[in-house]
Amino acid sequence: MIRMDKMDKVIKIDKVLKQVTVEAGILLSQLNEVLHRNGMALSNIGAISDVAAGGVIGTGTHNTGITHGILATQVVALTMMTASGEILECSESVNADIFQAARLHLGSLGVLLTVTLQCRAAFHLQEIQQSSTLQEVLDNLDKHLNSSEYFRFFWFPHTDSVSVFYQDPTDKPPSSKASWFWDCLVGYYLLELLLWISIFIPRLVPGINRFFFWLLFSGRSDRVDISHKVFNFDCLFKQHVQDWAIPIGKTKEALTQLKSWLERNPQVVAHFPVEVRFTKGDDILLSPCYQRDSCYMNIIMYRPYGKDVPHQDYWSEYENIMKRVEGRPHWAKAHTCTRKDFEKMYPAFGKFKNIREKLDPTGMFLNAYLEKVFY
Ligand SMILES: Cc1cc2nc3c(=O)[nH]c(=O)nc-3n(C[C@H](O)[C@H](O)[C@H](O)COP(=O)(O)OP(=O)(O)OC[C@H]3O[C@@H](n4cnc5c(N)ncnc54)[C@H](O)[C@@H]3O)c2cc1C
């Protein structure tokens, strides 16, 4: 294992091109601050910033916004040390094939040393959250997608309720959310306690989902803050997650199937939220959004006080549905896929594997997980 924590320097800031070159171990939380001081920002980041530049592109981290790709699409160049000790420079024009592999590398190609990211001018985001129903959102998906640069929604399983989030650049000054104290108290303590009780009385879960929707999401809220503070949000406590990318045109079919299956199987319970996000297609060989605009459907089962909750039936039916609609699993989250599945899912799987084997002929960068992926 190699620790990259100390490779956390900002090497170059190009204010004209709005690009930054960093060592691959830098955390996004550090980078966000440096960029902000220089009047720049990343155009999109995921829910957390305690992740490294080399790490987020290792697994295809994404957020939402149908004009935005996964985070790795912001990478314009990188350098990587291969198994032979050679340092390769890669970009669209130099080692272009390796570049399209290394932008989602699974840690399997070499050690990323530096990453150059395309940024944009620093911006504030206004987040408007409002309630709706699953039917309304699915019937008017294009309208919602066109109404906001970073649109996503939460569906509350066992209910018809949805919370819609529009996030858009604004010139307005920051205005903090007044209810943070209640959000923390309710989020951390009450939710965790109720979910722990529901391990023994699972039929409480639909009521818990309805209660938290009513308490926290049934109204309308509006806030403005620096972009990265709005992109990031509190993921509360430990959880199991699956998050597959499906062709965007299959969003309605997949969510409707999951909802009906839960209705037909009331013994299976599903925690809130199912988080639904949208991402532009790309040309990164192992990107779940490879050559197609996608919808990510993230399901969750919390682990209150670290305790495991039964979720196998929910997990396997979700996977069945995702496979039926040509889904591809998030590389950093749970799935049961192996090489045979990936060969079917990824048109460029063979190309990635060839590049990997040329760069690492003795398997220096393989591990038990990667053996399952590639062999
Ligand atoms: C609370 C939480 C919230 C999350 N929210 C989101 C979200 O909103 N969207 C989303 O898509 N994902 C999300 N994730 C998943 C997360 O983005 C990924 O797990 C991401 O890979 C974590 O980055 P890391 O720096 O910790 O990577 P690591 O786990 O350290 O590394 C990821 C992979 O990259 C390899 N690697 C790391 N650095 C290098 C390097 N320099 N050279 C070569 N290989 C390297 C590692 O070996 C590993 O294979 C979330 C995870 C958590 C825990």
Side-chain angles (χ1 to χ4, degrees), residues 12 24 62 74 163 221 320 338:
K12 184 177 167 197
H62 67 96
Q74 298 167 48
S163 181
S221 72
N320 289 339
T338 55

Side-chain angles (χ1 to χ4, degrees), residues 4 24 46-48 51-52 54-55 59 61-62 105-107 110-112 277 330 332:
M4 297 296 290
I48 52 167
V51 284
T59 58
T61 304
H62 67 96
H105 52 76
L106 299 178
V111 182
L112 256 72
R277 294 184 274 185
H330 191 308

Side-chain angles (χ1 to χ4, degrees), residues 155-261:
W155 169 52
F156 289 66
H158 310 293
T159 80
D160 293 324
S161 301
V162 157
S163 181
V164 168
F165 297 82
Y166 289 152
Q167 295 174 339
D168 289 283
T170 178
D171 293 332
K172 294 178 188 167
S175 61
S176 61
K177 212 174 167 191
S179 63
W180 67 268
F181 174 78
W182 291 108
D183 284 0
C184 291
L185 192 71
V186 167
Y188 283 114
Y189 299 111
L190 190 55
L191 178 62
E192 191 163 20
L193 178 64
L194 290 175
L195 289 178
W196 179 77
I197 294 171
S198 76
I199 294 174
F200 309 100
I201 319 174
R203 65 177 186 277
L204 291 180
V205 169
I208 293 173
N209 290 1
R210 266 191 292 278
F211 174 68
F212 279 91
F213 175 76
W214 167 78
L215 191 68
L216 296 175
F217 298 97
S218 57
R220 184 182 190 277
S221 72
D222 188 342
R223 69 172 173 134
V224 175
D225 215 327
I226 297 166
S227 57
H228 63 259
K229 295 190 180 175
V230 177
F231 287 137
N232 286 166
F233 65 88
D234 194 338
C235 297
L236 302 179
F237 41 91
K238 282 187 179 178
Q239 46 198 251
H240 297 286
V241 285
Q242 286 211 62
D243 188 18
W244 288 49
I246 59 176
I248 197 164
K250 307 257 180 177
T251 306
K252 185 171 184 174
E253 183 183 336
L255 270 165
T256 310
Q257 283 186 23
L258 186 63
K259 185 168 185 285
S260 338
W261 183 80

